[in-house]
């Protein structure tokens, strides 16, 4: 026997029971972004490697260690997208959606990072991304956070997620702060773990969210960014907090929250949960006012977030929030090969009359018992039975598979009767 080929580690198949739950959640997501007036973008999954290096930053984990990069047949260096913001900005610039305009955009799709696969961390995963261009006030920061909160409420998990908030100030403020932080880290260099030592001179802010306990203890005495903020940055952050409070959205200030990618300034936030162990960040985002210019556009303020769908699904299933739904409501059965054509016509009629219903036509013949067994197996609610007798009389027999009640109705009444059964 030939050896079977397996999926790539960290890249998951979603089976019908999974996709049933995903579709329900995606529907809530689509309805939410739609309700806020956001428009969908669809970008390619592959981009030039230089886009990610320039946008995300050369010395970030994502670019240094996690990208799927390859040369195509023309010798160009391409990468599977590790996140959506860079591609979204690239596309919006390429199609002149940004200059002097406001845009509220969203996208949903797969992202790729070569990480060590574990629960909540995969090599192909999916994100909902929201990106807003052309607005620089704290009101829009509050709006996208409110949008996520709205989503948690609709999904029934608002009490299971905690909002952490920080400000990174302006580039200038951060620069002065970084110098002071580096001085502090250099003075304690021997006490740092290897990662933090490396980051001290490449990406010192990332030392702040080091997972190393000794480093965390040391940081208690480190300079804090909030002491370096000017009046404008402070006002932005205070107004954001005020807006969130007035919307009834609770938050926790976390001065150590810096986020992994280079492009953030001012507002950064994360929604975290304790229900998923180490991979507890479900959604993260912030303001990235410098990125559009960095990618060759005229300066434009921007703010957005990325929401990890696998972690969201894990949280929902851990909390027992969504169950797979049956793919079939109505199972149309015919007794005898002579009526196969009529049976298919009936299924067709029912689909036209009941556009919301899922109507499956039985194929492959068999006796009455077998047909009903199939109807049960696909978890249909109603079996519609057509035999010679019924054809002669212009009727069909309906069996409610939940109550086992059976009734014969005229073919003209069938759709209405089925709708009544499905409704209760
Ligand atoms: P983490 O700190 O968990 O590695 P991150 O800061 O790298 O997350 P972002 O780049 O901000 O994550 O991506 C936004 C969201 O996408 C995360 O909050 C998370 O929910 C999800 N995510 C990121 N990487 C993965 C992954 N490898 N597998 C599954 N989900 C992921
Ligand atoms: Mg990561």
């Amino acid at each position: 026997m030939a050896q079977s080929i397996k999926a790539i580690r960290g890249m998951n198949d979603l089976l019908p029971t999974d996709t049933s739950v995903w579709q329900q959640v995606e529907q809530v997501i689509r309805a939410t972004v739609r309700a806020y007036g956001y428009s969908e973008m669809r970008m390619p999954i592959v981009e030039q490697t230089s886009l990610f290096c320039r946008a995300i930053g050369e010395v970030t984990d994502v670019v240094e260690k996690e990208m799927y990069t390859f040369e195509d047949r023309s010798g160009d260096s391409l990468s599977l997208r590790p996140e959506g913001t860079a591609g979204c900005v690239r596309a919006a610039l390429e199609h002149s959606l940004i200059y002097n305009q406001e845009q509220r955009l969203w996208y949903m799709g797969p992202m790729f990072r070569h990480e060590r696969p574990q629960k909540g961390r995969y090599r192909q995963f999916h994100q909902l991304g929201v990106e807003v261009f052309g607005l620089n006030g704290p009101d829009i920061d509050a709006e996208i956070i409110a949008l996520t909160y709205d989503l948690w409420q609709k999904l029934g998990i608002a009490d299971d997620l905690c909002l952490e908030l920080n400000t990174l100030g302006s580039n200038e403020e951060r620069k002065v702060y970084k110098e002071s932080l580096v001085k502090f880290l250099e003075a304690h260099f021997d006490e740092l773990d290897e990662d933090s030592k490396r980051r001290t001179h490449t990406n010192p802010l990332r030392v702040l969210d080091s997972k190393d306990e000794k480093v965390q203890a040391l940081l208690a005495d480190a300079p804090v960014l909030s002491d370096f903020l000017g009046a404008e940055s402070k006002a932005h952050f205070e107004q954001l907090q005020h807006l969130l409070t007035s919307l009834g959205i609770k938050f926790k200030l976390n001065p150590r929250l810096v986020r992994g990618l280079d492009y953030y300034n001012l507002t950064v936030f994360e929604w975290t949960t304790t229900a998923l162990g180490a991979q507890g960040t479900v959604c993260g985002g912030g303001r990235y006012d410098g990125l559009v210019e960095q990618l060759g556009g005229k300066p434009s303020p921007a703010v957005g977030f990325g929401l990890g769908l696998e972690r969201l699904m894990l949280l929902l299933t851990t909390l027992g929030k969504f169950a797979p739904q049956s793919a079939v409501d109505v199972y149309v059965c015919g007794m005898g090969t002579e009526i196969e054509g009529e049976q298919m016509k009936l299924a067709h009629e029912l689909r036209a009359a009941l556009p919301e219903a899922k109507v499956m036509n039985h194929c492959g013949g068999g006796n009455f018992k077998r047909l009903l067994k199939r109807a049960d197996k696909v978890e249909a609610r109603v079996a519609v039975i057509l035999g010679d007798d019924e054809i002669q009389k212009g009727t069909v027999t309906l069996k409610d598979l939940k109550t086992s009640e059976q009734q014969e109705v005229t073919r003209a009444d069938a759709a209405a009767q089925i709708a009544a059964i499905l409704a209760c």
Side-chain angles (χ1 to χ4, degrees):
M1 219 164 64
Q3 208 179 4
S4 58
I5 298 174
K6 296 263 168 35
I8 295 165
R9 212 161 88 85
M11 302 203 179
N12 301 315
D13 297 307
L14 293 179
L15 306 181
T17 46
D18 304 314
T19 54
S20 170
V21 174
W22 277 68
Q23 283 174 4
Q24 295 173 59
V25 175
E26 282 165 4
Q27 207 168 357
V28 178
I29 291 175
R30 285 175 207 278
T32 306
V33 287
R34 186 172 178 276
Y36 281 72
Y38 285 53
S39 305
E40 185 181 4
M41 287 283 278
R42 297 192 187 184
M43 296 87 67
I45 282 165
V46 182
E47 298 269 0
Q48 296 199 40
T49 303
S50 56
L51 172 69
F52 301 117
C53 297
R54 235 210 275 178
I56 299 171
E58 295 276 5
V59 290
T60 54
D61 281 352
V62 170
V63 169
E64 269 186 331
K65 299 189 278 198
E66 299 172 0
M67 278 217 292
Y68 278 92
T69 297
F70 60 97
E71 250 184 36
D72 77 353
R73 288 170 195 271
S74 330
D76 295 326
S77 179
L78 308 181
S79 294
L80 299 186
R81 63 184 188 190
E83 53 98 61
T85 304
C88 187
V89 172
R90 196 266 314 134
L93 279 176
E94 193 166 331
H95 302 284
S96 309
L97 300 187
I98 298 186
Y99 181 57
N100 256 346
Q101 296 181 69
E102 284 174 21
Q103 294 288 354
R104 288 168 162 89
L105 306 173
W106 69 274
Y107 50 82
M108 200 151 47
M111 307 292 161
F112 302 84
R113 296 185 193 177
H114 195 275
E115 304 195 70
R116 195 170 68 79
Q118 54 199 291
K119 183 181 164 199
R121 194 176 290 288
Y122 311 103
R123 290 180 171 175
Q124 173 172 332
F125 62 100
H126 297 77
Q127 279 185 348
L128 161 72
V130 159
E131 318 287 354
V132 177
F133 300 106
L135 292 165
N136 60 12
D139 49 353
I140 187 66
D141 300 5
E143 175 177 300
I144 65 166
I145 293 173
L147 187 157
T148 51
Y149 184 66
D150 213 351
L151 188 59
W152 312 145
Q153 283 184 312
K154 286 184 187 142
L155 295 170
I157 52 174
D159 293 338
D160 302 282
L161 285 159
C162 167
L163 175 63
E164 295 186 26
L165 207 58
N166 192 20
T167 181
L168 300 179
S170 68
N171 283 346
E172 296 72 37
E173 289 153 9
R174 216 162 46 255
K175 197 165 153 240
V176 180
Y177 169 66
K178 265 189 199 171
E179 282 164 16
S180 145
L181 179 64
V182 169
K183 263 194 207 136
F184 173 86
L185 295 173
E186 279 171 343
H188 298 86
F189 205 68
D190 294 341
E191 300 157 66
L192 299 177
D193 66 321
E194 284 313 308
D195 251 2
S196 302
K197 275 184 182 158
R198 199 166 49 86
R199 286 178 170 154
T200 297
H201 297 110
T202 56
N203 199 349
L205 286 185
R206 286 308 304 268
V207 179
L208 294 181
D209 69 359
S210 161
K211 306 271 185 295
D212 190 282
E213 274 175 26
K214 253 172 63 195
V215 175
Q216 277 303 329
L218 187 71
L219 287 171
D221 301 322
V224 284
L225 181 54
S226 54
D227 292 339
F228 291 73
L229 297 178
E232 234 178 277
S233 297
K234 272 189 187 149
H236 188 110
F237 197 43
E238 269 156 26
Q239 177 63 1
L240 170 62
Q241 294 176 55
H242 168 71
L243 289 170
L244 291 175
T245 304
S246 70
L247 291 168
I249 302 173
K250 294 194 192 83
F251 55 86
K252 199 171 90 189
L253 295 182
N254 176 359
R256 304 267 168 88
L257 180 66
V258 293
R259 315 262 310 117
L261 318 180
D262 257 6
Y263 47 58
Y264 291 106
N265 66 294
L266 289 173
T267 310
V268 285
F269 67 92
E270 280 187 357
W271 285 100
T272 59
T273 174
T274 49
L276 296 182
Q279 271 59 252
T281 307
V282 174
C283 172
R287 187 160 273 287
Y288 53 94
D289 295 327
L291 185 63
V292 172
E293 192 179 14
Q294 206 173 304
L295 292 180
K298 296 242 165 58
S300 167
V303 60
F305 66 76
L307 191 164
L309 295 183
E310 278 78 4
R311 291 189 196 173
L312 177 61
M313 301 297 166
L314 269 172
L315 181 60
L316 289 167
T317 40
T318 304
L319 299 171
K321 293 292 176 187
F322 283 83
Q325 284 177 342
S326 157
V328 181
D329 300 317
V330 181
Y331 198 75
V332 181
C333 320
M335 303 282 290
T337 46
E338 315 79 62
I339 59 172
E340 267 176 6
E342 200 50 38
Q343 179 198 331
M344 287 179 95
K345 246 197 257 168
L346 172 62
H348 213 68
E349 271 168 37
L350 294 176
R351 287 187 197 110
L354 302 166
E356 296 297 318
K358 298 166 276 184
V359 180
M360 182 178 273
N361 183 47
H362 174 83
C363 291
N367 60 25
F368 190 61
K369 211 172 142 197
R370 175 162 186 268
L371 302 184
L372 286 186
K373 231 173 153 175
R374 288 297 306 158
D376 267 335
K377 179 98 200 293
V378 298
E379 294 175 2
R381 175 66 196 272
V382 187
V384 182
I385 302 142
L386 193 62
D388 290 332
D389 210 29
E390 278 92 353
I391 291 188
Q392 249 171 23
K393 287 192 277 179
T395 61
V396 295
T397 299
L398 306 182
K399 180 163 186 182
D400 183 334
L401 295 165
K402 194 160 139 195
T403 63
S404 290
E405 274 169 43
Q406 201 162 308
Q407 51 175 319
E408 194 173 338
V409 298
T410 67
R411 193 139 157 188
D413 283 344
Q417 288 302 322
I418 292 169
I421 298 174
L422 293 180
C424 63

